[in-house]
mmCIF file of all heavy atoms in Angstrom:
data_model
loop_
_atom_site.group_PDB
_atom_site.id
_atom_site.type_symbol
_atom_site.label_atom_id
_atom_site.label_comp_id
_atom_site.label_asym_id
_atom_site.label_seq_id
_atom_site.Cartn_x
_atom_site.Cartn_y
_atom_site.Cartn_z
ATOM 1 N N CYS A 37 6.031 -8.300 10.615
ATOM 2 C CA CYS A 37 6.715 -7.030 11.062
ATOM 3 C C CYS A 37 8.191 -7.254 11.413
ATOM 4 O O CYS A 37 8.818 -6.506 12.063
ATOM 5 C CB CYS A 37 5.937 -6.510 12.205
ATOM 6 S SG CYS A 37 4.260 -6.088 11.728
ATOM 7 N N ARG A 38 8.782 -8.309 10.942
ATOM 8 C CA ARG A 38 10.226 -8.452 11.208
ATOM 9 C C ARG A 38 10.971 -7.379 10.407
ATOM 10 O O ARG A 38 10.515 -6.940 9.252
ATOM 11 C CB ARG A 38 10.607 -9.854 10.801
ATOM 12 C CG ARG A 38 10.482 -10.276 9.386
ATOM 13 C CD ARG A 38 10.926 -11.712 9.106
ATOM 14 N NE ARG A 38 10.712 -12.015 7.719
ATOM 15 C CZ ARG A 38 9.615 -12.573 7.258
ATOM 16 N NH1 ARG A 38 8.685 -12.949 8.075
ATOM 17 N NH2 ARG A 38 9.584 -12.911 5.952
ATOM 18 N N THR A 39 12.048 -6.961 10.984
ATOM 19 C CA THR A 39 12.862 -5.976 10.347
ATOM 20 C C THR A 39 14.350 -6.268 10.630
ATOM 21 O O THR A 39 14.673 -6.931 11.603
ATOM 22 C CB THR A 39 12.529 -4.502 10.884
ATOM 23 O OG1 THR A 39 13.077 -3.542 10.062
ATOM 24 C CG2 THR A 39 12.887 -4.403 12.326
ATOM 25 N N PRO A 40 15.287 -6.001 9.736
ATOM 26 C CA PRO A 40 15.072 -5.301 8.516
ATOM 27 C C PRO A 40 14.578 -6.258 7.449
ATOM 28 O O PRO A 40 14.665 -7.440 7.595
ATOM 29 C CB PRO A 40 16.438 -4.729 8.105
ATOM 30 C CG PRO A 40 17.417 -5.673 8.739
ATOM 31 C CD PRO A 40 16.725 -6.170 10.044
ATOM 32 N N GLN A 41 14.061 -5.722 6.349
ATOM 33 C CA GLN A 41 13.600 -6.478 5.211
ATOM 34 C C GLN A 41 14.737 -6.358 4.139
ATOM 35 O O GLN A 41 15.576 -5.504 4.180
ATOM 36 C CB GLN A 41 12.300 -6.100 4.754
ATOM 37 C CG GLN A 41 12.298 -4.682 4.084
ATOM 38 C CD GLN A 41 10.846 -4.144 3.887
ATOM 39 O OE1 GLN A 41 9.925 -4.696 4.520
ATOM 40 N NE2 GLN A 41 10.735 -3.221 3.011
ATOM 41 N N GLU A 42 14.621 -7.188 3.205
ATOM 42 C CA GLU A 42 15.640 -7.166 2.070
ATOM 43 C C GLU A 42 15.088 -5.927 1.133
ATOM 44 O O GLU A 42 13.954 -6.076 0.628
ATOM 45 C CB GLU A 42 15.579 -8.452 1.309
ATOM 46 C CG GLU A 42 16.637 -8.458 0.266
ATOM 47 C CD GLU A 42 16.603 -9.928 -0.422
ATOM 48 O OE1 GLU A 42 16.642 -10.901 0.298
ATOM 49 O OE2 GLU A 42 16.705 -9.905 -1.722
ATOM 50 N N SER A 43 15.868 -4.979 0.971
ATOM 51 C CA SER A 43 15.504 -3.877 0.103
ATOM 52 C C SER A 43 15.465 -4.349 -1.292
ATOM 53 O O SER A 43 16.359 -5.023 -1.760
ATOM 54 C CB SER A 43 16.518 -2.706 0.230
ATOM 55 O OG SER A 43 16.158 -1.641 -0.559
ATOM 56 N N ALA A 44 14.388 -4.079 -1.922
ATOM 57 C CA ALA A 44 14.140 -4.597 -3.304
ATOM 58 C C ALA A 44 14.415 -3.470 -4.319
ATOM 59 O O ALA A 44 13.937 -2.301 -4.085
ATOM 60 C CB ALA A 44 12.837 -5.063 -3.452
ATOM 61 N N PRO A 45 15.226 -3.800 -5.380
ATOM 62 C CA PRO A 45 15.275 -2.815 -6.443
ATOM 63 C C PRO A 45 13.943 -2.695 -7.086
ATOM 64 O O PRO A 45 13.047 -3.538 -6.851
ATOM 65 C CB PRO A 45 16.352 -3.424 -7.409
ATOM 66 C CG PRO A 45 16.282 -4.888 -7.100
ATOM 67 C CD PRO A 45 15.894 -4.965 -5.639
ATOM 68 N N ARG A 46 13.776 -1.652 -7.808
ATOM 69 C CA ARG A 46 12.498 -1.503 -8.607
ATOM 70 C C ARG A 46 12.341 -2.804 -9.489
ATOM 71 O O ARG A 46 13.140 -3.196 -10.163
ATOM 72 C CB ARG A 46 12.396 -0.378 -9.480
ATOM 73 C CG ARG A 46 12.397 0.897 -8.647
ATOM 74 C CD ARG A 46 12.379 2.220 -9.527
ATOM 75 N NE ARG A 46 12.321 3.383 -8.785
ATOM 76 C CZ ARG A 46 12.933 4.423 -9.034
ATOM 77 N NH1 ARG A 46 13.784 4.465 -10.101
ATOM 78 N NH2 ARG A 46 12.842 5.470 -8.244
ATOM 79 N N LEU A 47 11.233 -3.401 -9.326
ATOM 80 C CA LEU A 47 10.875 -4.607 -10.104
ATOM 81 C C LEU A 47 10.729 -4.387 -11.551
ATOM 82 O O LEU A 47 10.177 -3.305 -11.968
ATOM 83 C CB LEU A 47 9.483 -5.280 -9.610
ATOM 84 C CG LEU A 47 9.473 -5.701 -8.228
ATOM 85 C CD1 LEU A 47 8.033 -6.179 -7.817
ATOM 86 C CD2 LEU A 47 10.392 -6.971 -8.031
ATOM 87 N N VAL A 48 11.353 -5.208 -12.347
ATOM 88 C CA VAL A 48 11.229 -5.131 -13.796
ATOM 89 C C VAL A 48 9.762 -5.612 -14.073
ATOM 90 O O VAL A 48 9.483 -6.791 -13.955
ATOM 91 C CB VAL A 48 12.230 -5.847 -14.536
ATOM 92 C CG1 VAL A 48 11.969 -5.828 -16.000
ATOM 93 C CG2 VAL A 48 13.574 -5.362 -14.212
ATOM 94 N N LEU A 49 8.851 -4.681 -14.635
ATOM 95 C CA LEU A 49 7.477 -5.021 -14.760
ATOM 96 C C LEU A 49 7.310 -5.681 -16.100
ATOM 97 O O LEU A 49 7.306 -5.109 -17.200
ATOM 98 C CB LEU A 49 6.762 -3.761 -14.735
ATOM 99 C CG LEU A 49 5.183 -3.963 -14.712
ATOM 100 C CD1 LEU A 49 4.806 -4.683 -13.489
ATOM 101 C CD2 LEU A 49 4.503 -2.548 -14.704
ATOM 102 N N THR A 50 7.047 -6.951 -16.050
ATOM 103 C CA THR A 50 6.822 -7.827 -17.198
ATOM 104 C C THR A 50 5.286 -7.865 -17.410
ATOM 105 O O THR A 50 4.498 -7.521 -16.499
ATOM 106 C CB THR A 50 7.363 -9.209 -17.069
ATOM 107 O OG1 THR A 50 6.626 -9.852 -15.985
ATOM 108 C CG2 THR A 50 8.868 -9.198 -16.765
ATOM 109 N N ASN A 51 4.896 -8.386 -18.607
ATOM 110 C CA ASN A 51 3.470 -8.603 -18.774
ATOM 111 C C ASN A 51 2.830 -9.482 -17.806
ATOM 112 O O ASN A 51 1.696 -9.305 -17.357
ATOM 113 C CB ASN A 51 3.173 -9.086 -20.269
ATOM 114 C CG ASN A 51 3.233 -8.026 -21.288
ATOM 115 O OD1 ASN A 51 2.995 -6.874 -21.000
ATOM 116 N ND2 ASN A 51 3.653 -8.349 -22.482
ATOM 117 N N GLN A 52 3.638 -10.562 -17.408
ATOM 118 C CA GLN A 52 3.140 -11.476 -16.394
ATOM 119 C C GLN A 52 2.928 -10.755 -15.030
ATOM 120 O O GLN A 52 1.947 -11.056 -14.490
ATOM 121 C CB GLN A 52 3.989 -12.673 -16.320
ATOM 122 C CG GLN A 52 3.573 -13.679 -15.384
ATOM 123 C CD GLN A 52 4.528 -14.905 -15.229
ATOM 124 O OE1 GLN A 52 5.562 -15.024 -16.025
ATOM 125 N NE2 GLN A 52 4.272 -15.760 -14.315
ATOM 126 N N LEU A 53 3.917 -10.018 -14.589
ATOM 127 C CA LEU A 53 3.751 -9.348 -13.375
ATOM 128 C C LEU A 53 2.597 -8.336 -13.403
ATOM 129 O O LEU A 53 1.843 -8.198 -12.393
ATOM 130 C CB LEU A 53 5.110 -8.655 -12.948
ATOM 131 C CG LEU A 53 6.238 -9.624 -12.647
ATOM 132 C CD1 LEU A 53 7.388 -8.801 -12.256
ATOM 133 C CD2 LEU A 53 5.837 -10.534 -11.472
ATOM 134 N N TRP A 54 2.457 -7.611 -14.490
ATOM 135 C CA TRP A 54 1.362 -6.705 -14.660
ATOM 136 C C TRP A 54 0.015 -7.393 -14.563
ATOM 137 O O TRP A 54 -0.848 -6.920 -13.717
ATOM 138 C CB TRP A 54 1.520 -6.012 -15.970
ATOM 139 C CG TRP A 54 0.298 -5.179 -16.266
ATOM 140 C CD1 TRP A 54 -0.704 -5.492 -17.220
ATOM 141 C CD2 TRP A 54 -0.009 -3.914 -15.720
ATOM 142 N NE1 TRP A 54 -1.612 -4.514 -17.203
ATOM 143 C CE2 TRP A 54 -1.278 -3.501 -16.284
ATOM 144 C CE3 TRP A 54 0.523 -3.025 -14.878
ATOM 145 C CZ2 TRP A 54 -1.903 -2.263 -16.011
ATOM 146 C CZ3 TRP A 54 -0.016 -1.842 -14.445
ATOM 147 C CH2 TRP A 54 -1.239 -1.474 -15.105
#
Side-chain angles (χ1 to χ4, degrees):
C37 301
R38 60 183 179 266
T39 191
Q41 68 194 19
E42 186 177 314
S43 180
R46 292 181 178 140
L47 294 172
V48 175
L49 189 62
T50 64
N51 281 329
Q52 181 179 354
L53 291 179
W54 172 255

